[in-house]
Amino acid sequence: KHFARLTIERMLNDRRFTQREREVIVLAFMGLTYAGIAERLFITEHTVKKRLESIRRKTGTGSFFELFMQHVPKEE
């Protein structure tokens, strides 16, 4: 499988995240802005920010890059 796709699949299977947080992760990695994510999910930008804060808190990451790297499959 493609490296990035496998990594994103691992993030989406991470049981620390709620379903809504998973949806936010996917849209954020697609490059949508807070406003774009909010529009797609029918929530406010404030709620998007809260979801992202929750994701960062659960993972101890400060950026999407760190979140992505945390889920990169290790070479076996």
Side-chain angles (χ1 to χ4, degrees):
K1 290 186 176 179
H2 188 264
F3 173 79
R5 182 179 181 156
L6 183 57
T7 302
I8 292 170
E9 285 176 8
R10 287 175 56 116
M11 284 190 301
L12 297 179
N13 289 324
D14 189 326
R15 293 183 174 261
R16 292 178 289 184
F17 305 135
T18 65
Q19 180 61 36
R20 199 55 143 178
E21 288 168 343
R22 289 181 181 103
E23 293 169 354
V24 170
I25 288 169
V26 168
L27 295 174
F29 274 100
M30 289 174 59
L32 273 69
T33 63
Y34 290 170
I37 295 169
E39 184 178 320
R40 276 274 191 78
L41 298 179
F42 303 102
I43 58 178
T44 66
E45 286 185 55
H46 176 76
T47 301
V48 171
K49 291 175 187 176
K50 288 294 189 186
R51 299 284 185 204
L52 292 170
E53 286 173 17
S54 176
I55 291 164
R56 288 187 195 104
R57 188 175 55 257
K58 288 177 181 181
T59 60
T61 58
S63 69
F64 288 120
F65 178 75
E66 286 181 47
L67 175 64
F68 184 84
M69 293 306 294
Q70 195 176 76
H71 289 84
V72 170
K74 307 296 183 244
E75 289 187 41
E76 298 176 12

